[in-house]
Amino acid sequence: MYKTQPTERVLNLPAGYYGMVLGTIGMGFAWRYASTLWPVTRWPGEILVTLAMVMWLLLTAAFLTRAIRFPRSVLAEMRHPVMSSFVSLFPATTMLVAIGFVPWFRPLALALFTVGVVVQLSYAAWQSAGLWRGKHPEEATTPGLYLPTVANNFISAMACGALGFHDAGLVFLGAGVFSWLSLEPVILQRLRSAGELPSAMRTSLGIQLAPALVACSAWLSVNGGEADTFAKMLFGYGLLQLLFTLRLMPWYLSQPFNASFWSFSFGVSALATTGLHLGQSSPSGFFHAIAIPLFIFTNAIIALLLVRTFILLMQGKLLVRADKATLMQAEERE
């Protein structure tokens, strides 16, 4: 009797895994800011930022390796009505890593920012404008659509603020705000009236928490950190989205924990940073009272996500692998 040879299995990580970088580095930025306000060590922030950079480097190596060896699998992801939006997390996290490098090594930060901006604008023009041809299925209209034009432009504004390009930051902020306002009614209409999301897609609603809070963070980045009326209004809408998110938590938790739960993380980490900014702006009152409780809450959420993800990794359930032969057959069919 002949024994069958085991097939070679290769990493096949979807671009959505970059969501782990978003929340981790966002929490690192919150701790960096906290260390300028309180007599606490700066090391939690530096450790989280470094951890996020390592995640980004490993995910990028895996993504680029797949793009070189099995380009059709990446193209299929880019053409998928839902997964295509998550491909834009590559330039988004590249720009966040650039922000992380600003206090350490500005030339590298500038290089990464340039790459991130060029890629995010190019991909948004290809992916988002491509939806205007009227062929996008209604059931694929999820909060993931915010990523290419809303999240990326807000992050571009944040990077511009960190690098001192305030006018350019306002341009990106405007692009993000008006993209957000045009998409939100369509997405909410689909969520309310076009049938329940499948269980595997429900965690994408975690992205709904992010636009207002990330917009607030971007605005504070380009306006010199002034906690003005507009910042407070954005923060208020973010708190409302947090309330909605908590209301639906049992619905999200109907599936086992997996990497898609990181979709909640960037909005949560932005909640920490913006809450501290607004709390610092006044020695008393509403924002001062909620800043520390929100900071503790967001730390607990990110810590839980990190621990649960590490457990998945140790159990061998985090890294997605596919048969090399299967991927090669798919390449040949294309």
Side-chain angles (χ1 to χ4, degrees), residues 180 184 188 208 212 233-242:
W180 170 31
E184 178 138 335
L188 292 182
Q208 193 69 29
M233 290 171 61
L234 289 170
F235 187 79
Y237 190 59
L239 286 180
L240 182 64
Q241 297 304 305
L242 175 64

Side-chain angles (χ1 to χ4, degrees), residues 67 115 211 217 321:
V115 170
S217 186
R321 297 180 182 274

Side-chain angles (χ1 to χ4, degrees), residues 19-316:
M20 293 185 283
V21 179
L22 290 176
T24 305
I25 203 166
M27 201 68 238
F29 294 159
W31 268 102
R32 274 185 175 180
Y33 183 66
S35 68
T36 68
L37 303 178
W38 307 326
V40 295
T41 177
R42 61 185 177 86
W43 287 111
E46 302 306 307
I47 290 171
L48 285 168
V49 169
T50 302
L51 174 62
M53 290 177 174
V54 172
M55 290 178 179
W56 174 83
L57 186 62
L58 293 175
L59 289 169
T60 299
F63 186 75
L64 293 179
T65 299
R66 180 161 63 98
I68 293 170
R69 296 183 64 188
F70 309 105
R72 298 292 183 180
S73 71
V74 175
L75 285 173
E77 197 169 345
M78 293 170 63
R79 292 167 178 161
H80 191 276
V82 175
M83 296 173 67
S84 61
S85 295
F86 291 86
V87 175
S88 65
L89 290 177
F90 166 60
T93 52
T94 301
M95 290 183 288
L96 287 170
V97 169
I99 296 172
F101 271 111
V102 169
W104 298 344
F105 191 51
R106 183 180 172 87
L108 180 56
L110 276 170
L112 289 171
F113 168 70
T114 302
V115 170
V117 164
V118 170
V119 174
Q120 77 98 342
L121 290 174
S122 300
Y123 188 72
W126 179 83
Q127 190 262 1
S128 298
L131 303 181
W132 292 7
R133 293 176 294 198
K135 298 180 181 180
H136 184 72
E138 184 182 33
E139 62 272 15
T141 301
T142 73
L145 289 179
Y146 290 128
L147 296 175
T149 57
V150 181
N152 271 283
N153 280 303
F154 286 158
I155 293 171
S156 297
M158 291 167 59
C160 286
L163 291 164
F165 307 142
H166 295 288
D167 283 345
L170 287 170
V171 171
F172 284 114
L173 181 67
V177 166
F178 288 104
S179 295
W180 170 31
L181 295 179
S182 67
L183 285 170
E184 178 138 335
V186 179
I187 291 171
L188 292 182
Q189 175 65 19
R190 183 266 177 268
L191 296 178
R192 293 189 191 107
S193 307
E196 187 173 85
L197 283 175
S199 179
M201 292 175 61
R202 289 176 191 173
T203 50
S204 68
L205 268 71
I207 301 169
Q208 193 69 29
L209 177 62
L213 295 168
V214 179
C216 183
S217 186
W219 174 237
L220 291 169
S221 295
V222 298
N223 78 347
E226 182 183 353
D228 56 13
T229 300
F230 185 51
K232 294 174 181 177
M233 290 171 61
L234 289 170
F235 187 79
Y237 190 59
L239 286 180
L240 182 64
Q241 297 304 305
L242 175 64
L243 183 63
F244 292 170
T245 299
L246 295 175
R247 156 68 176 84
L248 292 172
M249 195 56 65
W251 192 56
Y252 304 135
L253 296 177
S254 62
Q255 61 175 310
F257 180 83
N258 56 74
S260 69
F261 277 78
W262 280 90
S263 65
F264 296 90
S265 66
F266 197 40
V268 166
S269 63
L271 178 68
T273 307
T274 53
L276 290 178
H277 269 282
L278 297 178
Q280 173 65 14
S281 67
S282 57
S284 61
F286 174 75
F287 292 105
H288 183 78
I290 66 173
I292 293 179
L294 286 177
F295 187 72
I296 295 171
F297 168 76
T298 54
N299 273 276
I301 296 298
I302 298 300
L304 179 63
L305 287 170
L306 285 169
V307 170
R308 293 297 302 271
T309 302
F310 181 73
I311 292 173
L312 279 185
L313 179 64
M314 292 298 98
Q315 293 174 337

